[in-house]
Amino acid sequence: MSDSPDANSLLSASSQLNLVEVDAIDDKEFDIPQVDTPPTLESILNELEDEEEPFVLEDTCVLSTDNMDAHSCETSSLASSDSGDPAHLKRHELTDTQRHNILEQKRKTVDLNTTVHGSVLRHNLLKGISAQIVSAADKVDAGLPTAITVSSVIAVGTSHGLALVFDTNQALRLCLGTKTTGAEFGAVSALSINHDCSRLLCGFANGQITMWDLANGKLLRTITDAHPPGTAILHVKFTDDPTLAVCNDSGGSVFELAFRRMMGMRSCDSRCLFSGSKGEVCCIEPLRAPPDFRDHPITHHSLLAMASLTKILVIGLKPSLKVWMTFPYNKSDPSSVPQLAWHFVPVQKTVNPVLAFCKGDIVHFLLVKKEESGAIHVIKQRQLHLSCDIISLSWINSSTLVLVDSREKLLVVDRPSQEVLETLDLEQVQLVYNSRHFKSLATGGNVSQALVRDQLMYNEALVGEKACYQSVSSYAGQIVYLGTKSAHIMTLRNWRERIDCLLKQDHFVEALSLSWSFHEGTAKAVVGLFGDTVKRKGVISDKMVEILCKFAEYALKKCPEQGKIQVMEQHFQDVVPVLVDYCLLLQRADLLFNQLYDRLVENMVAKGVFLEALESYIVVDRLGHLTTPIMRDLLAHYHDNGMMDSLERCIVHLDVTSLDIQQVVQVCWENQLYDAMIYIFNSGINDYLTPMEKLFAVIGPPLREGRSLTDEEVVIGNKLLVYISCCLAGRAYPLGDIPEDLVVQVKNQVFEFLIRLHSADLSEEEEVFPFIRTLLHFDTREFLNVLAMTFEDFKNDKQALEYQQRIVDILLQVMVDNPDFIPSQVGGLFTFLARQLAKPDNTLFVNRNLFDQVLEFLCCPDDDSRHTERQQVLLELLQVGTVVQFNEGRLLALAEKAKFYQICEFLYEKQHLYDRIIDCYLRDPLRKVEIFSFIHNLLSMPGYSPEEKQTVKDKVLQHIQELVTLDPCKSADIVLLHFTQEVQQIISGLQDDQLLFQFLSFLLEPRECHQLRTFLPLERDLHELLLDLLCRYAPQQLLSFLQASQHYRLEEAIQTTEKYHHSEATAYLLEKKGDIDGAFSVLLEALRETLRLLTAGRQSKAEVAGEKQDEGKIQRDSTLTKVKDSLSDIINLCNRSSHNLFQQQREALWFPLLETMMDSQKRVNKHDAKHTSEVLKELTMKVLNCMSSFISLPAIIQRILQDPVYGTGKLAELQGLILGMMDSFNYEQILLETTTNLLNHDLHWSLAHLRAAVTRGLHPRQDYCNICLQQYKRRQDSVEEIIVFICGHLYHVQCLQQKDSGCGISLAAHQQWNCFKCSSSHGGRGGPSIEPNRECSTSLAQTHVRSIHRDFREEAHKKKMFVETTMDLQQEQSWDQLRSLYRGPSRLSILSDLSLCHSSEKSGLLFPTQPGNETFQLKLSPPPLLEE
């Protein structure tokens, strides 16, 4: 075969191909000399990437790169932004120009959480193979490539039935087949090479399978009867057993091929593993172990994974056929392509195969392991969720997958982290799709009836459009992709290549980030790192040092030579923090301060940025030691640029041994860097007192002189207090701890310093104990707090206790009887002393007489200054405890004299005199409002005796007038909760009617809180009293009160409202009583009175024309408003009452009202008031429109014509009125007719569609009975009847009757059947359900169905039976579903809204309702269409 003319011509054509025709080819690549011994995989992975680097297929076989596209090596990740695409590089340049604005908002240090993966995949074009594929198609008509497979060789199948076999140098070694056989067999549709690369299986589009010997190109077998004819071979795969293979045809069936050789004769036995009639299999994948795992125990079972459109199966071929697992898919796109891929993965110190499969955007993982018992367990692993439709799935190593989506985007995914490492665009590859081999599924070749039923045939056609199974092949960590004119190979780059790819594009920051991830072991898809952890880190560290040096050189080289200084600073701010960060991470301070700093010093801007960048690392203690030159430069730079705060922050974090103490102290003194000065003195020379002296020297003089401190001096004073507190507590300032051997010494030194009689700079004006006096004047409370915290630690230290007593004596000596200290300061001192004396282990001694002096001082009645402050201090002193004992009688007298009501309350509470506390609250202007909470809490809470509560109640009743005056609302709440029986007494005690009105309003208002819903005695009398007060003080609230309250008597209420002439309220009460005529008369008289005022106002205005016209206009508008309100009230009354009255009674209501309005027009017309006349006419029309609903139009017109105003007038005056009435009549007539038509049409439409839904044919889910599980057409011996339910389940009548009889249900001829399966799944049983809401699937139609072999006479007598016309639960749900098909509100509701809107505007019916239109037409939308 290999010597055929086609093969020779193909070889000759390939040697003559002009390779320049291929895009992006570098001629220098063809100068590579041939080598005798190919390199190994390990040697190549340890070398730096080169443009002419050889590419490895496996450890022992090397693919020559003479014809490999070097430019394709510059692959890129859409996620890592290191693309070699020119357009992408251009975009990246635009990003660089905007980087300055972005980094201004970023932190100066490097974010180590940023993930950088770089270019993970090396993408190479196999130019030698690609060129020969093109040559074979063009010059010898070998056809286009259709399939590819990879092992130690690469085999490519063509559309004309040829198989081209290439060796590792991309040289064509064999051409298998001829165009003659290709014309017979069709295109090569599948290829497979066995594990030792000695045999090749070729599957063809017409169904044949051939086996070839790859050693000599000899045809060994031609298999034509392994599967049903007329179906293409979709997959053919060798297993680990060289005598066993599997194939999958386009009919969806899977067959096992067992190869035999007996007596020199080769044969093949075929066995069907899966029939396409059960569901079409689209993909198969046998488990093939790599050489290292050939002895794995799982390999003895020859596992095979099969994927159909609905599920996957894992079966074992050995020792006998067995299904180990089935797994259904989740819901996905019907056109999604099922994918399968095996790989051996280490899990918990063992290596087991993992099956990755997907259909759509979710990748599932199944771990398959064999137990000691021999059983195989399949364990589901974590899923991988993506946002794309996957059409190819391959493992490239045990933790990394390579996917291709339907947009031909290649994704490199790390399985443990589920992170997408890189995205490549494969559009240029032009993948070969196997669509035509799936056509037999779509056209009915071996299509099962189940497939036709569930429309899987259509789905298979959709799958075929995305199928590229034979275009992707993986082997030994390499993946080959077949394009229409080329072949491409993908492998993982080693770690050095990935770093160098970034360095070639000058992405130094990303290269360092990627290197650090290698260093820390967090990188993904790592290749080429060997040895233990220490060795690996050492190798990576050396690489990072090299990158850092290159980065520094690059930064200096690319620095703008001219331009703004800000641009240069920004340039180095992008570089220097990265250098510092990674040098510190690598613990290479020598590299940072020697090599890198020496280079950056050459540029003054870079030097400044470097020194300023050190601050962020020093303050977080990442950098604690600086070399002397660096420290000198740092001091000079920060000092020259005024960055003294930053310098101080740096000094307090640096190691003192790295500082020039003399230089640093001088800078601190000159620039008042007190924190740094304290740190230097404390840590450098163990001097804790000198800083204190300097700080006292700053704040002491202004305090002695009585001057107020500046903000800076206040900060220094606070700093001094914190420093003293730290020294006494054993803490270093501003951070850290004092060495343990110095803690006691420092504490004693500080005490000795504080109790000094005089300072070193003694002056004549200085008083004794200047330091304590200064701190007391600065902040007495905080200084005492510092002492209190220090005294907490004094227990058995005799020396410290002596210092404690000495300081207390000094404090008393300095502050008592000293007018320089205000009461709060003195009180704070004694409160501090009282708390110290209250301690159980107290050793202090204080003269108790001093407390009496303080009491006299604080309670001095002649001193009104700081009244609240003195009271608060005394209260704190009393609350300390029982240490300080005062004469309570004397104290109470002093407190009352000084008006210290809180002190009085404190003392009264101790004596349980709670009633007197009420007097304290009432006298205290600041705490008056708190009296209500006190009363409620005391009367509500347990713990108080009845006698104590009664005294409080008596006191409250005694002061009730004052309490109500203070807050009527809270007083009412208190009465409702605690004084319901004393309400009459309380009301009697309230002399002011206005106050009584406010109190009753809150007392009787409706309450939402259940606790306040209390039944009061004589509640009816209270409501009637409130009604009387409302008539006097708040008539506007009268009607709402009458409507809300039900506790008054109607007759008394009517008399009260009539007494105060409140007609609206009187009418409401009369209507409530049932006296409609009386209510109408009251409202009508009020309306007439208002109209008389309106006409009288018009007459007076005519008489005094020109005088006070503005006031008259306002008065007229106010009167018109009253007329409108009165008319609205009386119309509402007539509307409410007319429904229950006879015609004569209605006329007795409406006609007097109409006459009143028309009479008012007669009086107004005489005085030429045009505006008022128009308003009254409009109101008259409103009355006419409203009464037209109750009074006939002829009667209304007759009464109008009898009126002198209209009877003696002209016809034009009546025309508008009559036309308005007719317009209203026409509108209502059209509305009625349209509504009737709509209702009839909608009813017809609904019933028609309900009938169509009920009589629609039923679609069964399956062709077998759900009880006996036998197909109904298999029982051909007798006529059978079946029942199909609306849920789709199908039953034999006999089976269903047996189930029903088993439940004890009688069999009626036309009984109502229930679906047995649905009833069982819902917890019920077959047969009629007792509860109607438990019925799940009652048949709408029960049909006699004869056997398919019945004769024509039986067919002529087929009948249909229907259930009773009662609607069960399911039918009601169907009816509700039909009704829900209407979108939006019903048209009847729309008409109702229109009529309401129209009725609300009936006052304007005097005018045309549709200007410009003589006839009124409703524009209504057509009925909604049913969405089938």
Side-chain angles (χ1 to χ4, degrees):
M1 277 295 181
S2 60
D3 296 330
S4 65
D6 293 328
N8 293 332
S9 61
L10 181 60
L11 290 170
S12 61
S14 65
S15 62
Q16 298 172 3
L17 177 66
N18 184 7
L19 296 177
V20 181
E21 296 176 0
V22 182
D23 294 338
I25 293 182
D26 189 355
D27 294 336
K28 295 182 180 179
E29 295 181 357
F30 296 96
D31 296 333
I32 303 174
Q34 296 290 334
V35 294
D36 296 333
T37 304
T40 63
L41 175 63
E42 181 177 354
S43 64
I44 290 178
L45 292 178
N46 289 329
E47 292 178 359
L48 293 175
E49 181 189 13
D50 200 346
E51 295 291 337
E52 297 82 19
E53 177 182 25
F55 185 77
V56 181
L57 272 173
E58 60 175 353
D59 292 348
T60 56
C61 300
V62 181
L63 181 65
S64 174
T65 56
D66 289 350
N67 295 327
M68 198 173 282
D69 186 2
H71 293 281
S72 64
C73 294
E74 298 299 328
T75 59
S76 65
S77 167
L78 299 180
S80 58
S81 69
D82 54 354
S83 174
D85 178 18
H88 186 86
L89 290 175
K90 185 175 181 180
R91 291 194 301 270
H92 198 67
E93 290 175 3
L94 292 176
T95 305
D96 288 335
T97 60
Q98 302 169 356
R99 186 179 299 172
H100 303 300
N101 297 330
I102 298 174
L103 288 180
E104 287 179 358
Q105 304 173 357
K106 295 174 99 178
R107 192 174 168 224
K108 297 298 181 181
T109 55
V110 175
D111 185 5
L112 297 178
N113 295 325
T114 302
T115 303
V116 175
H117 301 295
S119 179
V120 179
L121 277 186
R122 183 197 292 116
H123 176 193
N124 291 99
L125 169 67
L126 300 176
K127 291 194 299 183
I129 296 176
S130 302
Q132 293 177 84
I133 290 174
V134 174
S135 174
D138 293 343
K139 299 190 177 181
V140 298
D141 194 23
L144 297 176
T146 58
I148 193 168
T149 186
V150 182
S151 182
S152 299
V153 297
I154 296 179
V156 178
T158 69
S159 59
H160 289 176
L162 301 181
L164 310 180
V165 181
F166 300 90
D167 62 13
T168 56
N169 293 318
Q170 302 188 53
L172 183 62
R173 198 173 80 181
L174 295 171
C175 177
L176 306 177
T178 63
K179 289 190 290 183
T180 303
T181 56
E184 179 184 356
F185 293 171
V188 175
S189 58
L191 293 171
S192 179
I193 302 175
N194 63 355
H195 66 84
D196 60 358
C197 202
S198 61
R199 298 288 186 270
L200 172 68
L201 280 176
C202 298
F204 293 89
N206 293 339
Q208 295 85 355
I209 300 174
T210 59
M211 177 185 287
W212 302 86
D213 188 339
L214 291 179
N216 52 25
K218 183 179 179 181
L219 177 63
L220 302 180
R221 289 181 176 84
T222 299
I223 306 169
T224 59
D225 56 352
H227 65 103
T231 55
I233 298 296
L234 299 183
H235 303 276
V236 61
K237 304 272 187 179
F238 272 110
T239 66
D240 282 337
D241 185 350
T243 65
L244 196 64
V246 290
C247 71
N248 172 209
D249 63 14
S250 59
S253 300
V254 180
F255 296 88
E256 176 190 76
L257 306 178
F259 305 116
R260 302 285 186 268
R261 186 175 182 180
M262 298 179 62
M263 301 181 66
M265 296 295 294
R266 290 185 172 90
S267 63
C268 176
D269 296 333
S270 173
R271 178 175 62 160
C272 181
L273 302 178
F274 189 89
S275 173
S277 61
K278 301 297 183 181
E280 284 66 13
V281 172
C282 301
C283 178
I284 61 173
E285 192 66 37
L287 174 62
R288 298 182 62 177
D292 296 340
F293 299 102
R294 292 281 165 78
D295 297 331
H296 195 283
I298 203 74
T299 59
H300 303 309
H301 294 271
S302 292
L303 295 182
L304 173 66
M306 302 182 294
S308 69
L309 293 179
T310 58
K311 61 185 175 181
I312 72 159
L313 298 91
V314 176
I315 65 174
L317 303 179
K318 295 180 179 180
S320 61
L321 185 63
K322 185 173 183 180
V323 179
W324 289 107
M325 189 273 302
T326 60
F327 190 92
Y329 298 125
N330 295 328
K331 293 183 179 179
S332 61
D333 186 354
S335 64
S336 299
V337 183
Q339 297 291 331
L340 298 169
W342 288 97
H343 202 280
F344 281 83
V345 177
V347 178
Q348 298 179 353
K349 298 183 180 180
T350 60
V351 179
N352 286 295
V354 171
L355 174 64
F357 67 92
C358 68
K359 184 179 184 296
D361 57 355
I362 301 178
V363 182
H364 303 265
F365 298 94
L366 298 177
L367 175 66
V368 182
K369 58 189 301 185
K370 184 176 182 180
E371 302 293 341
E372 295 180 357
S373 61
I376 293 179
H377 286 272
V378 180
I379 304 172
K380 188 177 180 181
Q381 305 287 300
R382 187 172 63 158
Q383 300 174 351
L384 172 63
H385 294 266
L386 300 169
S387 58
C388 55
D389 186 16
I390 302 168
I391 63 172
S392 175
L393 170 66
S394 306
W395 294 86
I396 199 166
N397 64 20
S398 60
S399 62
T400 310
L401 295 100
V402 178
L403 314 172
V404 179
D405 65 12
S406 56
R407 298 173 300 171
E408 296 191 359
K409 300 291 184 182
L410 183 143
L411 309 175
V412 183
V413 181
D414 180 67
R415 177 181 169 243
S417 65
Q418 298 194 351
E419 186 177 358
V420 178
L421 307 182
E422 186 176 13
T423 303
L424 301 177
D425 191 352
L426 292 185
E427 185 177 358
Q428 59 179 350
V429 175
Q430 298 181 354
L431 278 175
V432 173
Y433 290 91
N434 314 124
S435 305
R436 59 179 177 272
H437 305 320
F438 284 77
K439 285 185 178 179
S440 61
L441 284 175
T443 56
N446 196 29
V447 176
S448 68
Q449 293 186 7
L451 180 63
V452 175
R453 181 187 68 240
D454 294 333
Q455 297 184 350
L456 290 179
M457 182 168 63
Y458 173 70
N459 295 344
E460 287 283 2
L462 295 178
V463 169
E465 296 178 359
K466 299 180 181 179
C468 58
Y469 294 113
Q470 303 304 322
S471 305
V472 184
S473 180
S474 62
Y475 178 75
Q478 302 152 112
I479 305 176
V480 177
Y481 294 91
L482 179 64
T484 56
K485 295 183 179 180
S486 59
H488 302 255
I489 191 165
M490 305 283 185
T491 55
L492 290 175
R493 296 180 185 271
N494 65 34
W495 69 276
R496 288 184 182 272
E497 291 180 65
R498 290 168 63 178
I499 296 174
D500 291 340
C501 282
L502 294 172
L503 293 177
K504 288 179 182 179
Q505 301 177 51
D506 296 331
H507 295 168
F508 291 94
V509 177
E510 290 83 355
L512 288 168
S513 178
L514 180 60
S515 302
W516 183 250
S517 65
F518 289 136
H519 186 277
E520 295 300 300
T522 60
K524 309 295 189 300
V526 182
V527 176
L529 279 176
F530 306 104
D532 57 13
T533 304
V534 176
K535 182 179 178 181
R536 291 199 302 269
K537 288 188 174 182
V539 173
I540 299 170
S541 298
D542 294 340
K543 182 66 176 178
M544 293 184 68
V545 170
E546 176 187 342
I547 298 172
L548 290 171
C549 294
K550 288 183 179 180
F551 193 19
E553 295 292 339
Y554 173 82
L556 292 171
K557 181 179 178 182
K558 294 294 183 179
C559 176
E561 297 180 359
Q562 305 182 35
K564 296 182 179 180
I565 190 68
Q566 292 84 357
V567 177
M568 301 176 67
E569 288 179 348
Q570 189 62 52
H571 171 75
F572 285 108
Q573 285 172 0
D574 296 339
V575 177
V576 171
V578 179
L579 300 177
V580 177
D581 217 323
Y582 284 106
C583 285
L584 296 180
L585 288 173
L586 294 172
Q587 300 180 1
R588 291 294 304 273
D590 57 329
L591 172 67
L592 178 65
F593 294 143
N594 295 330
Q595 302 178 34
L596 297 180
Y597 183 67
D598 291 344
R599 288 289 294 115
L600 294 175
V601 165
E602 300 174 3
N603 188 300
M604 294 303 298
V605 177
K607 176 183 176 183
V609 172
F610 179 87
L611 295 173
E612 292 175 11
L614 295 180
E615 178 189 357
S616 60
Y617 300 94
I618 293 174
V619 296
V620 296
D621 297 325
R622 290 187 60 189
L623 183 60
H625 183 83
L626 300 180
T627 61
T628 303
I630 297 289
M631 190 64 206
R632 183 173 58 251
D633 292 347
L634 184 127
L635 285 173
H637 177 79
Y638 280 47
H639 183 272
D640 295 343
N641 290 275
M643 303 170 59
M644 304 315 299
D645 291 339
S646 298
L647 178 60
E648 187 174 34
R649 284 194 294 270
C650 292
I651 290 175
V652 299
H653 285 83
L654 287 173
D655 185 4
V656 179
T657 59
S658 65
L659 304 177
D660 184 344
I661 294 180
Q662 183 177 359
Q663 179 188 11
V664 173
V665 169
Q666 182 179 357
V667 172
C668 293
W669 284 132
E670 293 175 355
N671 298 276
Q672 300 179 354
L673 306 181
Y674 296 108
D675 283 355
M677 178 192 67
I678 294 173
Y679 175 74
I680 296 298
F681 273 93
N682 293 353
S683 302
I685 55 180
N686 290 333
D687 184 356
Y688 291 85
L689 300 182
T690 301
M692 244 186 285
E693 293 177 348
K694 298 297 182 182
L695 296 178
F696 272 113
V698 175
I699 66 171
L703 289 175
R704 286 196 299 269
E705 296 172 5
R707 293 189 285 109
S708 59
L709 298 179
T710 63
D711 293 340
E712 295 180 356
E713 290 170 342
V714 171
V715 171
I716 294 173
N718 291 327
K719 196 184 299 289
L720 176 60
L721 281 174
V722 175
Y723 176 54
I724 293 174
S725 176
C726 289
C727 291
L728 295 178
R731 302 296 303 274
Y733 182 86
L735 41 90
D737 294 314
I738 298 175
E740 292 184 4
D741 56 337
L742 297 178
V743 171
V744 177
Q745 177 184 344
V746 170
K747 188 181 299 184
N748 293 337
Q749 287 179 358
V750 172
F751 277 126
E752 288 289 346
F753 177 81
L754 292 177
I755 64 177
R756 285 182 185 177
L757 193 61
H758 292 286
S759 63
D761 302 330
L762 178 62
S763 62
E764 296 180 359
E765 296 81 8
E766 184 181 85
E767 298 180 285
V768 294
F769 307 114
F771 301 123
I772 290 181
R773 195 179 296 271
T774 299
L775 292 174
L776 289 173
H777 280 294
F778 175 72
D779 194 329
T780 305
R781 184 178 297 276
E782 290 304 324
F783 176 54
L784 294 177
N785 287 339
V786 169
L787 294 179
M789 290 188 294
T790 305
F791 290 171
E792 292 289 339
D793 299 332
F794 292 173
K795 292 182 180 179
N796 299 321
D797 189 348
K798 183 179 180 181
Q799 181 69 28
L801 293 176
E802 293 178 359
Y803 284 127
Q804 179 183 2
Q805 184 66 51
R806 177 62 176 153
I807 286 180
V808 169
D809 294 340
I810 294 173
L811 291 174
L812 293 172
Q813 180 182 346
V814 169
M815 297 188 69
V816 176
D817 296 332
N818 190 340
D820 293 338
F821 294 97
I822 59 178
S824 62
Q825 292 176 314
V826 178
L829 169 64
F830 281 92
T831 303
F832 161 74
L833 294 177
R835 287 172 179 162
Q836 297 300 319
L837 294 174
K839 293 180 179 179
D841 54 352
N842 171 57
T843 59
L844 286 176
F845 172 77
V846 178
N847 190 349
R848 303 304 171 107
N849 294 330
L850 291 174
F851 286 94
D852 293 332
Q853 297 180 17
V854 172
L855 178 62
E856 294 285 349
F857 169 73
L858 293 175
C859 294
C860 179
D862 299 330
D863 186 7
D864 291 336
S865 63
R866 305 179 184 272
H867 179 274
T868 304
E869 183 180 343
R870 290 187 290 115
Q871 180 178 212
Q872 189 64 33
V873 169
L874 182 56
L875 187 62
E876 290 181 5
L877 188 60
L878 292 175
Q879 291 173 346
V880 167
T882 58
V883 177
V884 183
Q885 299 292 337
F886 295 106
N887 187 322
E888 292 187 358
R890 179 171 174 268
L891 177 59
L892 181 60
L894 290 173
E896 290 180 347
K897 192 174 182 180
K899 297 181 180 179
F900 286 172
Y901 297 113
Q902 293 187 47
I903 305 299
C904 296
E905 179 187 356
F906 178 80
L907 296 174
Y908 287 143
E909 189 171 2
K910 291 179 63 177
Q911 300 173 11
H912 300 284
L913 300 175
Y914 300 107
D915 55 329
R916 297 190 181 183
I917 296 178
I918 294 179
D919 293 326
C920 294
Y921 276 104
L922 292 174
R923 294 174 187 174
D924 191 347
L926 299 179
R927 302 169 63 236
K928 266 190 176 183
V929 294
E930 299 178 12
I931 188 173
F932 301 101
S933 299
F934 169 77
I935 296 172
H936 173 65
N937 292 335
L938 189 140
L939 296 177
S940 302
M941 297 172 59
Y944 301 98
S945 66
E947 293 78 10
E948 293 170 346
K949 292 185 178 181
Q950 187 60 42
T951 57
V952 171
K953 283 189 172 184
D954 295 339
K955 179 66 71 172
V956 171
L957 294 174
Q958 181 181 348
H959 294 280
I960 191 64
Q961 177 91 13
E962 191 173 354
L963 291 175
V964 174
T965 305
L966 181 61
D967 193 328
C969 179
K970 292 183 179 179
S971 299
D973 292 341
I974 290 293
V975 169
L976 280 176
L977 291 171
H978 306 289
F979 296 89
T980 55
Q981 301 302 322
E982 294 84 2
V983 171
Q984 291 297 332
Q985 179 182 350
I986 293 172
I987 292 176
S988 302
L990 296 176
Q991 304 299 327
D992 187 0
D993 288 347
Q994 182 74 30
L995 190 62
L996 177 61
F997 164 66
Q998 296 178 5
F999 174 72
L1000 283 178
S1001 298
F1002 291 113
L1003 184 69
L1004 300 178
E1005 68 178 356
R1007 305 280 179 168
E1008 295 182 0
C1009 179
H1010 294 281
Q1011 297 178 352
L1012 297 179
R1013 292 179 182 174
T1014 308
F1015 294 99
L1016 298 172
L1018 301 176
E1019 190 166 5
R1020 183 182 61 187
D1021 296 337
L1022 294 178
H1023 279 78
E1024 292 176 358
L1025 176 60
L1026 178 59
L1027 176 62
D1028 186 275
L1029 294 172
L1030 280 169
C1031 292
R1032 295 164 56 190
Y1033 298 109
Q1036 67 277 6
Q1037 303 175 13
L1038 186 58
L1039 189 60
S1040 60
F1041 169 77
L1042 293 173
Q1043 293 171 349
S1045 176
Q1046 302 295 331
H1047 301 282
Y1048 54 83
R1049 292 169 293 183
L1050 280 176
E1051 293 297 337
E1052 284 72 9
I1054 292 172
Q1055 294 177 7
T1056 303
T1057 55
E1058 288 178 345
K1059 174 183 176 182
Y1060 294 102
H1061 306 291
H1062 294 300
S1063 58
E1064 186 179 356
T1066 303
Y1068 171 78
L1069 293 172
L1070 289 172
E1071 183 184 3
K1072 188 175 181 181
K1073 181 182 176 182
D1075 188 0
I1076 304 299
D1077 293 333
F1080 178 78
S1081 299
V1082 171
L1083 291 178
L1084 185 61
E1085 183 61 32
L1087 176 63
R1088 288 172 177 171
E1089 182 64 27
T1090 310
L1091 290 172
R1092 279 196 293 269
L1093 289 175
L1094 180 63
T1095 56
R1098 295 300 308 167
Q1099 291 174 2
S1100 63
K1101 182 179 178 185
E1103 295 172 358
V1104 292
E1107 297 181 3
K1108 302 182 180 179
Q1109 292 186 3
D1110 293 338
E1111 295 180 2
K1113 183 179 180 181
I1114 295 174
Q1115 183 179 2
R1116 184 193 65 185
D1117 293 341
S1118 175
T1119 308
L1120 282 175
T1121 303
K1122 292 180 180 178
V1123 170
K1124 292 179 181 179
D1125 294 340
S1126 299
L1127 183 62
S1128 178
D1129 293 338
I1130 197 169
I1131 288 176
N1132 291 335
L1133 173 63
C1134 293
N1135 283 330
R1136 291 193 301 267
S1137 305
S1138 296
H1139 295 284
N1140 303 320
L1141 300 177
F1142 299 108
Q1143 184 66 26
Q1144 186 177 1
Q1145 294 173 323
R1146 294 175 183 174
E1147 293 178 355
L1149 288 181
W1150 288 102
F1151 283 143
L1153 176 60
L1154 181 61
E1155 291 172 355
T1156 301
M1157 294 304 300
M1158 290 190 297
D1159 183 62
S1160 65
Q1161 294 183 58
K1162 177 177 65 176
R1163 293 198 302 271
V1164 172
N1165 286 335
K1166 295 180 180 180
H1167 301 283
D1168 192 20
K1170 184 177 180 181
H1171 174 70
T1172 304
S1173 177
E1174 292 294 333
V1175 172
L1176 291 177
K1177 272 191 176 184
E1178 182 181 346
L1179 294 177
T1180 304
M1181 292 306 103
K1182 180 178 180 181
V1183 174
L1184 287 170
N1185 289 331
C1186 292
M1187 66 186 297
S1188 63
S1189 301
F1190 306 101
I1191 308 297
S1192 63
L1193 292 179
I1196 297 175
I1197 295 176
Q1198 182 179 2
R1199 180 58 64 95
I1200 292 173
L1201 294 176
Q1202 291 175 358
D1203 188 88
V1205 177
Y1206 293 101
T1208 59
K1210 298 179 182 179
L1211 182 61
E1213 298 179 4
L1214 301 175
Q1215 183 180 4
L1217 177 63
I1218 296 174
L1219 289 178
M1221 294 181 181
M1222 296 303 297
D1223 194 7
S1224 176
F1225 173 77
N1226 292 334
Y1227 171 81
E1228 292 177 355
Q1229 184 179 17
I1230 294 174
L1231 187 64
L1232 178 61
E1233 293 175 356
T1234 307
T1235 304
T1236 305
N1237 292 335
L1238 286 177
L1239 289 175
N1240 293 336
H1241 183 275
D1242 289 352
L1243 180 61
H1244 176 269
W1245 180 86
S1246 301
L1247 292 176
H1249 283 81
L1250 179 61
R1251 180 179 179 275
V1254 170
T1255 58
R1256 184 179 301 164
L1258 301 181
H1259 181 71
R1261 296 184 181 180
Q1262 65 283 318
D1263 57 356
Y1264 56 86
C1265 173
N1266 278 276
I1267 296 178
C1268 65
L1269 301 180
Q1270 294 185 7
Q1271 293 187 355
Y1272 68 87
K1273 59 186 178 183
R1274 291 185 180 178
R1275 298 173 60 177
Q1276 304 172 4
D1277 51 348
S1278 62
V1279 176
E1280 60 185 21
E1281 296 178 351
I1282 65 168
I1283 293 181
V1284 181
F1285 289 91
I1286 195 171
C1287 58
H1289 295 131
L1290 179 147
Y1291 301 92
H1292 293 115
V1293 173
Q1294 296 178 356
C1295 298
L1296 202 57
Q1297 288 176 345
Q1298 292 174 1
K1299 285 291 182 182
D1300 289 345
S1301 61
C1303 299
I1305 301 173
S1306 62
L1307 300 176
H1310 298 283
Q1311 74 176 84
Q1312 184 174 352
W1313 300 100
N1314 285 330
C1315 176
F1316 172 77
K1317 189 169 185 180
C1318 293
S1319 300
S1320 300
S1321 63
H1322 286 74
R1325 298 180 62 87
S1329 176
I1330 298 176
E1331 300 178 10
N1333 58 356
R1334 300 289 288 264
E1335 296 178 3
C1336 296
S1337 300
T1338 303
S1339 174
L1340 293 178
Q1342 301 175 358
T1343 309
H1344 287 280
V1345 181
R1346 303 295 183 181
S1347 173
I1348 59 174
H1349 296 282
R1350 64 185 179 275
D1351 56 18
F1352 294 100
R1353 289 177 299 174
E1354 293 176 337
E1355 184 175 2
H1357 292 287
K1358 61 182 179 180
K1359 297 180 181 179
K1360 294 185 178 180
M1361 297 189 306
F1362 294 92
V1363 298
E1364 299 177 4
T1365 58
T1366 58
M1367 294 180 63
D1368 60 12
L1369 178 61
Q1370 190 169 8
Q1371 293 169 343
E1372 291 177 357
Q1373 292 175 351
S1374 302
W1375 170 243
D1376 292 337
Q1377 185 177 6
L1378 281 174
R1379 290 190 297 179
S1380 68
L1381 292 174
Y1382 285 105
R1383 299 294 188 259
S1386 68
R1387 289 173 291 178
L1388 182 58
S1389 64
I1390 296 176
L1391 283 177
S1392 302
D1393 295 340
L1394 285 175
S1395 63
L1396 289 176
C1397 296
H1398 190 78
S1399 64
S1400 65
E1401 299 174 358
K1402 278 188 176 182
S1403 59
L1405 282 179
L1406 183 63
F1407 309 99
T1409 56
Q1410 296 290 336
N1413 294 334
E1414 297 181 357
T1415 59
F1416 175 75
Q1417 295 182 354
L1418 289 175
K1419 297 181 179 179
L1420 302 174
S1421 61
L1425 298 178
L1426 177 66
E1427 297 181 1
E1428 295 281 347

